[in-house]
Amino acid sequence: FTKKDLELSCEALLEQIMGTDHPKRRQLSLRMLRKLLKRHANVHGYLALALESLVNKGFPVMLRNWSVDVFRLSFLFDGLADFFGELMTNLNIVPRIAKAMVRELDLAARVVQRRYRIYRERCRPAWAGVPFDVRMRRKLVQNMDLEDCNKKWRRMHSMAFGGVLPVDVTQAYLRLLGQLTDKDVVSTGYRENRLELAQSSGLIRVLLCLRDHQYRFLALRVLANLSKQSATLAELLKGSVGFTLCDCLHDADDAVLSRTLEVLDSIAQKAAIYSDVNSPETLESEISLN
């Protein structure tokens, strides 16, 4: 094959992955793309150049740009993580995944915050010495901010997927996070990926996935990688990961039970090493120094 033939083949396979509604056709196209990556160096260079635009397309900033077509790119990233893990890390993809997984939770929290601020202002007595126009201007800004959040909420839930991530997309995101936080896949940037995920709101979504059996094993893999790094221990303990993991001990699946015990053992060992019996509150400072 010539270089042009390989590039045309990659474009055709990418169109199939991003444009088809059939999972089998998508999996077959992804499998063929992986074979081309293993056999031809030109394909690796072509996809490396196109990856940045694909990441920007797969994680749009504006809410109106989210669609089913965007979600299909999650399967592409999941299938190419072992080839381009380092490049994805340089493109800062982990915070984007975390933000995508908590879009609904984040927007709901913003709506509640705006409503509470307006309620608090209504209950507060008039400020002495504050001009009337200043108070009205502040009230107008708060109402406009709340209306903007309400419009985003209604727009999100008016989409075809109802504002909720599809099951297969959530699984693809969890598999991708599991690979990007794995030392064997990302040899140099895995520490940064673990720390970014632990310090972001994406950790909340991963912990919530433990309650659902269809996400549990994938979420446990992510937590197993996070628990191997001392710098993430404080964030895991703040998220009450121990209580959530204890609920997984009742799972009938032996693989889930084994992975749960592995995560609990790793967290317990690091907590025992870095905690001070006489001063437990110094745990976080000791970890940050380490």
Side-chain angles (χ1 to χ4, degrees):
F1 295 100
T2 63
K3 182 178 179 181
K4 185 176 181 180
D5 293 335
L6 293 173
E7 291 180 356
L8 291 175
S9 300
C10 291
E11 291 179 1
L13 292 174
L14 289 175
E15 289 179 1
Q16 286 294 321
I17 295 173
M18 295 184 292
T20 182
D21 293 328
H22 302 283
K24 291 185 178 180
R25 180 177 295 180
R26 187 187 307 120
Q27 293 175 3
L28 180 60
S29 301
L30 185 58
R31 194 179 305 120
M32 294 173 65
L33 187 61
R34 289 178 58 86
K35 288 183 179 179
L36 289 177
L37 278 168
K38 294 178 181 178
R39 296 178 181 178
H40 303 281
N42 291 331
V43 176
H44 191 282
Y46 173 78
L47 290 178
L49 293 175
L51 188 61
E52 183 175 0
S53 61
L54 291 174
V55 170
N56 293 332
K57 185 177 180 181
F59 300 97
V61 178
M62 303 299 293
L63 178 63
R64 62 174 178 268
N65 294 331
W66 284 88
S67 63
V68 178
D69 296 335
V70 171
F71 289 147
R72 294 194 185 106
L73 285 170
S74 62
F75 306 107
L76 176 65
F77 299 143
D78 177 31
L80 301 182
D82 52 342
F83 291 98
F84 301 101
E86 298 289 349
L87 183 55
M88 290 182 181
T89 300
N90 296 334
L91 293 175
N92 210 25
I93 195 174
V94 171
R96 299 188 184 191
I97 299 172
K99 187 176 181 179
M101 295 182 69
V102 297
R103 284 187 315 112
E104 186 181 23
L105 295 176
D106 180 66
L107 188 54
R110 289 165 58 188
V111 172
V112 173
Q113 288 175 354
R114 269 58 173 185
R115 289 185 178 275
Y116 174 73
R117 289 174 183 173
I118 293 176
Y119 171 77
R120 185 180 58 184
E121 291 294 330
R122 290 176 180 175
C123 296
R124 180 181 299 177
W127 296 335
V130 178
F132 175 77
D133 58 337
V134 175
R135 297 199 304 269
M136 290 297 100
R137 190 183 305 114
R138 179 169 180 174
K139 182 178 179 180
L140 179 61
V141 171
Q142 290 178 343
N143 289 334
M144 291 175 60
D145 194 11
L146 175 61
E147 182 61 25
D148 181 62
C149 290
N150 288 334
K151 288 182 179 179
K152 291 181 179 179
W153 179 264
R154 289 191 291 267
R155 187 185 301 118
M156 175 187 293
H157 287 270
S158 64
M159 295 179 177
F161 50 90
V164 181
L165 287 178
V167 175
D168 53 351
V169 175
T170 304
Q171 291 174 343
Y173 283 153
L174 289 174
R175 286 193 299 267
L176 183 56
L177 288 175
Q179 294 185 80
L180 294 177
T181 55
D182 193 341
K183 182 179 179 180
D184 297 332
V185 178
V186 184
S187 58
T188 58
Y190 69 96
R191 293 181 181 273
E192 291 77 8
N193 290 339
R194 291 174 181 176
L195 193 58
E196 286 180 346
L197 178 59
Q199 294 178 346
S200 68
S201 55
L203 180 60
I204 301 175
R205 188 69 178 91
V206 174
L207 294 176
L208 290 175
C209 288
L210 289 176
R211 302 179 181 179
D212 196 332
H213 184 73
Q214 57 188 348
Y215 306 133
R216 185 168 294 169
F217 187 77
L218 298 174
L220 283 172
R221 181 190 177 186
V222 178
L223 291 177
N225 293 334
L226 295 182
S227 64
K228 295 176 182 178
Q229 187 164 332
S230 303
T232 63
L233 180 58
E235 302 298 333
L236 291 174
L237 295 179
K238 288 178 183 178
S240 301
V241 65
F243 295 101
T244 309
L245 288 173
C246 288
D247 295 336
C248 299
L249 295 176
H250 303 286
D251 197 293
D253 191 347
D254 293 338
V256 172
L257 182 59
S258 176
R259 183 59 64 87
T260 303
L261 292 174
E262 176 188 347
V263 177
L264 283 172
D265 181 66
S266 178
I267 293 176
Q269 288 183 7
K270 286 183 170 52
I273 293 174
Y274 291 100
S275 62
D276 187 350
V277 177
N278 298 323
S279 180
E281 63 274 5
T282 60
L283 172 61
E284 183 177 354
S285 61
E286 291 180 3
I287 294 174
S288 61
L289 290 175
N290 184 64

